[in-house]
Amino acid sequence: MRLYAAAVYLFLYGPIALIVLFSFNAGRHAASFECCATSWYSLTFNNTFLIEALLNSLLIAGTTAVLATIMGTMASLALQRVKGVLRLVFDALTYIAIIIPGIVIGIATLVALVTVFDILNPLIAKLWPSDGNAMALGLGYGSVIAAHTLFTMALVIIIVRARIQGMDRSLIEASADLYATPWATFRQVTFPQIFPAVMSGFLLSFTFSFDDFIIAFFVAGPKTTLPIYVFASIRRGITPETNVIATTVLAVSLTLLITAQFLLRSRAPKAGGKG
Amino acid sequence: MVEMINGAVDVEFQGVTKRFGDIRAVDNIDLEVSSGAFVSLLGPSGCGKTTSLRLIAGFEQPSAGDVRIGGASVVGVPPYKRPINMVFQNYSLFPHFTVADNIGFGLRQLKPRLSKSEITARVGEMLELVRLQGFEERRTWELSGGQQQRVALARALINRPTVLLLDEPLAALDRKLRQDMQIELQTLQRDVGITFVLVTHDQEEALSMSDTIYLMNEGRIIQMGGARDLYDEPINRYVADFVGKTNFFDGEVAEIKPNGAAIRLANGRVLYGRNPRGGVPLNRNAGGAIAVRPELIHIVKANGSACLTTDVQTTARVKNRIFLGEQTEYLVMAEGFGDILVLASKHAETVSGGFSPGDVVSIGWEDSSALALENTSKGDHSTAVPVPK
Ligand SMILES: Nc1ncnc2c1ncn2[C@@H]1O[C@H](COP(=O)(O)OP(=O)(O)OP(=O)(O)O)[C@@H](O)[C@H]1O
Ligand SMILES: [Mg+2]
């Protein structure tokens, strides 16, 4: 039994360990390993195409995380007061957004956006005939961000709401009793209480968006994100460069996820300042 | 006990009702809290004490009637605009603030802003008042229950509210600490001169701490008065039963006397009791009860050298004895009366030598020690309602 478990783990993590190992390959070929050098790292990060893809990914992930966090937090605060059937509907929609496979989100978003663009673009061209082309809507940053935000916002809602439900309601009453207006109460009591959940929602959203390939593949249009770049380059064969990228992404993602977990588990936030 | 400062009224309920769906948590209550007074709302669980307090604080709005603070109606005024602070039952200290920041919270909300140095100074004063100097930078969860309680108190008092509300503030503390805090609260109230409204289901706490007690049941006020009034002059059986221990002898009203009534027990014996002050005379042909406090019953050895000269006398057999320190409580069984609780003082015990279970004793009381009470739990006397046991 134990052997069996070991085999499973080896099968799961062996390839990942290999990738990390091979990213420090000193040789010229991906297939044979010579220890140890960071030369591939410097080479990889001098590749302008790759850097552009990386910057695109960072931009998209950053914007997605900010939007999803703000909207998700506001939604979960508002949902507190919603009761009954309406609440059920919102809950269902939230969970559906998470359950739906990425490929469906990708296709659906693509179809929806293309349809909308087909309607809007002629209109725009009519309104601003001279520079209609510059104004024309198309797939790109916006569409990826929109699709990612839809999904990650649901994540944020679920995380933040769990925190709100675990929060002592009487703290809000105590604050109101001590002359704090509703806004002051939010700033000084509610927000510091839910802050860890908001932060971990942010980090998870960032990680998801940064790692996502499927949705981006459908709706990114001409833009290349890092996963798309990797996908494209793999078709030309596995290179040490791929290993470097994978290792870097792995390191960043793990850091963010662990931080998010840590924040979620911290019971009483030490941060929060003095009002 | 407390000087009434120019007789001003801080909190007033005029026919206040609060409904939650079909439940009348508070049912047509009139209430008046004088400036500087220490008032208790006393009653069993679910009788509407917390709801009454929340109506004063502004967390609930009345379904009917008027809530007035300092003479002005506050219906619709949110909690943060009321000159009132509350000590919550579970203290509700902010876990993300230090002790000092918790205490200073109310001051930081004021407009125009107070200077940092003023806030620090007043927080310091408060820490001294509740004897928590040196705890400024501590986190609230690092404190003991009694210390948290004092932080909650300081956090409310620092704002110098017109009225301080306390919702079972001592319920979570152990017995010894609770007694210390009772004295501390009372002293504090006299020192700061702020009106206190305390909610408790512990009658001892209400009796020992407050000037005025409102005894509540099922959303209504049954009796209002000082500790003495409630203990010595309970207006009906419910009050006598709730406040302190009492022996009840139920029966039919046999005779109405000028200041009381005679009641015939099931065994044919007739007992006399006086009317409580503020109570209503009993009706003829109705049920009633004679109530006698255990400490007003004499107990001596049957056929002994000491003999009773009280108005009522009977022999009884000791069933149980509980040593309470300064007093000894006997449960005796008397033919035709049932079980009777008798409280003998240390002094009486030394004289009589005490009794053991199985001993035959004589017990008795004066008619003037007995009250004739109606069997109602409502405040309005008009309807007789079965008393929950
Ligand atoms: N928000 C609410 N919604 C519905 N019913 C409520 C609400 N608050 C109180 N009640 C009901 O009103 C009645 C009085 O409640 P309240 O909390 O005032 O009692 P209490 O005297 O403080 O009791 P306890 O000593 O147990 O705290 C109870 O029957 C309670 O169930
Ligand atoms: Mg209560």
Side-chain angles (χ1 to χ4, degrees):
Chain A
M1 192 65 208
R2 212 172 272 164
L3 202 73
Y4 175 71
V8 169
Y9 277 109
L10 193 70
F11 182 71
L12 270 177
Y13 295 113
I16 297 176
L18 271 185
I19 285 179
V20 175
L21 189 68
F22 270 73
S23 71
F24 294 101
N25 198 346
R28 288 192 60 243
H29 299 289
S32 60
F33 184 70
E34 285 166 50
C35 193
C36 287
T38 52
S39 52
W40 282 109
Y41 279 83
S42 45
L43 210 73
T44 306
F45 289 107
N46 278 328
N47 177 343
T48 47
F49 293 109
L50 176 97
I51 294 300
E52 195 196 318
L54 176 66
L55 289 180
N56 283 343
S57 270
L58 286 176
L59 180 77
I60 290 169
T63 317
T64 298
V66 169
L67 286 178
T69 308
I70 294 176
M71 296 199 296
T73 305
M74 292 201 307
S76 37
L77 286 168
L79 278 173
Q80 265 187 107
R81 288 192 214 119
V82 180
K83 298 255 148 62
V85 180
L86 201 61
R87 176 68 182 258
L88 270 176
V89 171
F90 274 116
D91 281 359
L93 288 177
T94 308
Y95 283 105
I96 285 172
I98 288 188
I99 291 164
I100 289 183
I103 191 161
V104 179
I105 295 185
I107 296 173
T109 317
L110 180 65
V111 171
L113 288 178
V114 167
T115 316
V116 171
F117 293 161
D118 281 351
I119 297 170
L120 284 185
N121 278 342
L123 229 105
I124 291 170
K126 249 178 234 152
L127 284 173
W128 295 278
S130 55
D131 52 7
N133 262 350
M135 297 290 297
L137 299 168
L139 296 171
Y141 291 133
S143 49
V144 183
I145 290 170
H148 281 179
T149 304
L150 169 75
F151 178 88
T152 53
M153 191 174 86
L155 271 183
V156 174
I157 289 178
I158 286 172
I159 294 171
V160 172
R161 213 171 53 190
R163 184 85 184 189
I164 290 176
Q165 274 161 357
M167 195 179 137
D168 187 358
R169 291 264 331 146
S170 72
L171 290 181
I172 291 169
E173 288 192 341
S175 170
D177 186 59
L178 293 162
Y179 316 129
T181 58
W183 171 238
T185 296
F186 176 76
R187 246 180 344 104
Q188 297 174 79
V189 180
T190 316
F191 191 70
Q193 291 284 310
I194 62 173
F195 181 73
V198 173
M199 257 331 275
S200 74
F202 178 88
L203 294 177
L204 287 179
S205 304
F206 188 95
T207 313
F208 170 83
S209 172
F210 190 74
D211 293 349
D212 168 71
F213 167 70
I214 301 174
I215 298 176
F217 184 71
F218 279 99
V219 296
K223 297 289 180 213
T224 308
T225 66
L226 194 60
I228 294 177
Y229 176 87
V230 172
F231 179 72
S233 65
I234 280 177
R235 288 202 289 201
R236 279 178 267 117
I238 305 271
T239 62
E241 185 189 46
T242 324
N243 293 336
V244 168
I245 298 170
T247 307
T248 313
V249 170
L250 182 72
V252 171
S253 301
L254 270 182
T255 312
L256 293 183
L257 284 176
I258 289 170
T259 315
Q261 270 305 310
F262 183 75
L263 283 170
L264 268 183
R265 291 208 183 155
S266 73
R267 288 194 58 241
K270 309 261 178 199
K274 309 213 167 190
Chain B
M1 249 161 130
V2 148
E3 324 77 303
M4 295 290 168
I5 303 158
N6 65 41
V9 173
D10 274 346
V11 180
E12 202 178 348
F13 276 20
Q14 294 175 348
V16 170
T17 296
K18 177 67 189 178
R19 276 185 292 266
F20 293 110
D22 289 339
I23 304 171
R24 282 166 181 263
V26 165
D27 191 0
N28 194 20
I29 279 188
D30 292 309
L31 178 142
E32 237 183 59
V33 180
S34 318
S35 215
F38 196 140
V39 170
S40 287
L41 304 180
L42 173 66
S45 187
C47 72
K49 307 180 297 287
T50 298
T51 306
S52 305
L53 218 56
R54 291 171 62 81
L55 282 161
I56 302 176
F59 299 130
E60 309 285 358
Q61 297 294 337
S63 312
D66 197 10
V67 177
R68 305 172 80 83
I69 293 172
S73 173
V74 291
V75 174
V77 177
Y80 56 90
K81 287 186 181 159
R82 299 191 184 196
I84 280 182
N85 290 118
M86 182 148 160
V87 175
F88 290 78
Q89 179 160 1
N90 55 0
Y91 313 140
S92 296
L93 300 178
F94 303 120
H96 54 295
F97 287 144
T98 61
V99 166
D101 286 340
N102 261 283
I103 296 177
F105 189 92
L107 293 185
R108 291 203 302 276
Q109 313 306 320
L110 298 182
K111 300 270 155 56
R113 285 178 171 281
L114 296 181
S115 70
K116 267 220 162 70
S117 56
E118 161 140 35
I119 293 179
T120 314
R122 278 176 65 180
V123 168
E125 272 171 41
M126 274 300 138
L127 283 164
E128 196 173 328
L129 186 72
V130 298
R131 296 188 282 111
L132 281 176
Q133 298 106 309
F135 285 79
E136 289 82 347
E137 295 310 314
R138 290 280 204 100
R139 292 289 171 166
T140 54
W141 70 77
E142 301 169 353
L143 304 181
S144 72
Q147 289 166 340
Q148 290 186 20
Q149 213 266 345
R150 295 212 289 268
V151 174
L153 209 58
R155 186 179 70 172
L157 281 175
I158 197 171
N159 309 297
R160 297 173 190 154
T162 312
V163 181
L164 182 73
L165 308 175
L166 304 112
D167 192 357
E168 313 231 13
L170 309 179
L173 307 181
D174 64 55
R175 192 176 159 78
K176 180 78 184 74
L177 190 55
R178 192 161 65 225
Q179 284 168 346
D180 291 348
M181 285 304 299
Q182 283 177 4
I183 296 169
E184 221 167 283
L185 266 184
Q186 231 179 337
T187 323
L188 195 70
Q189 196 261 345
R190 263 183 234 134
D191 289 349
V192 296
I194 289 173
T195 310
F196 276 33
V197 179
L198 173 88
V199 156
T200 178
H201 62 260
D202 178 350
Q203 46 114 357
E204 261 174 61
E205 193 166 292
L207 293 188
S208 63
M209 293 170 79
S210 36
D211 310 313
T212 309
I213 299 160
Y214 286 86
L215 181 64
M216 297 180 63
N217 191 30
E218 294 173 2
R220 297 190 182 204
I221 288 166
I222 310 297
Q223 187 172 359
M224 175 273 241
R228 275 218 117 82
D229 299 325
L230 261 62
Y231 194 85
D232 291 340
E233 310 286 342
I235 60 160
N236 60 32
R237 187 185 164 128
Y238 176 79
V239 180
D241 197 23
F242 197 86
V243 180
K245 288 177 174 171
T246 310
N247 294 295
F248 292 107
F249 307 105
D250 295 296
E252 294 294 312
V253 176
E255 193 185 342
I256 302 291
K257 302 231 173 152
N259 294 314
I263 285 178
R264 180 174 296 114
L265 308 190
N267 67 346
R269 187 152 186 171
V270 174
L271 294 179
Y272 173 81
R274 66 179 179 81
N275 292 329
R277 227 183 323 122
V280 286
L282 299 188
N283 288 325
R284 247 209 106 97
N285 305 324
I290 294 295
V292 190
R293 295 280 183 200
E295 68 273 18
L296 296 176
I297 301 180
H298 300 269
I299 178 167
V300 297
K301 193 172 272 162
N303 312 317
S305 54
C307 81
L308 288 177
T309 55
T310 48
D311 297 333
V312 181
Q313 295 177 18
T314 182
T315 50
R317 184 178 294 276
V318 176
K319 281 173 78 176
N320 192 21
R321 168 168 92 161
I322 299 172
F323 180 67
L324 297 174
E326 67 272 34
Q327 287 168 320
T328 307
E329 188 182 272
Y330 291 102
L331 184 66
V332 304
M333 165 71 193
E335 202 58 47
F337 288 94
D339 285 351
I340 301 178
L341 215 53
V342 182
L343 214 52
S345 67
K346 190 102 204 163
H347 176 69
E349 284 286 283
T350 6
V351 174
S352 69
F355 310 97
S356 314
D359 285 0
V360 178
V361 292
S362 285
I363 60 165
W365 63 86
E366 303 287 352
D367 283 345
S368 58
S369 302
L371 292 174
L373 299 178
E374 51 173 1
N375 281 334
T376 173
S377 64
K378 299 279 180 197
D380 56 21
H381 312 294
S382 52
T383 46
V385 176
V387 179
K389 213 27 199 169

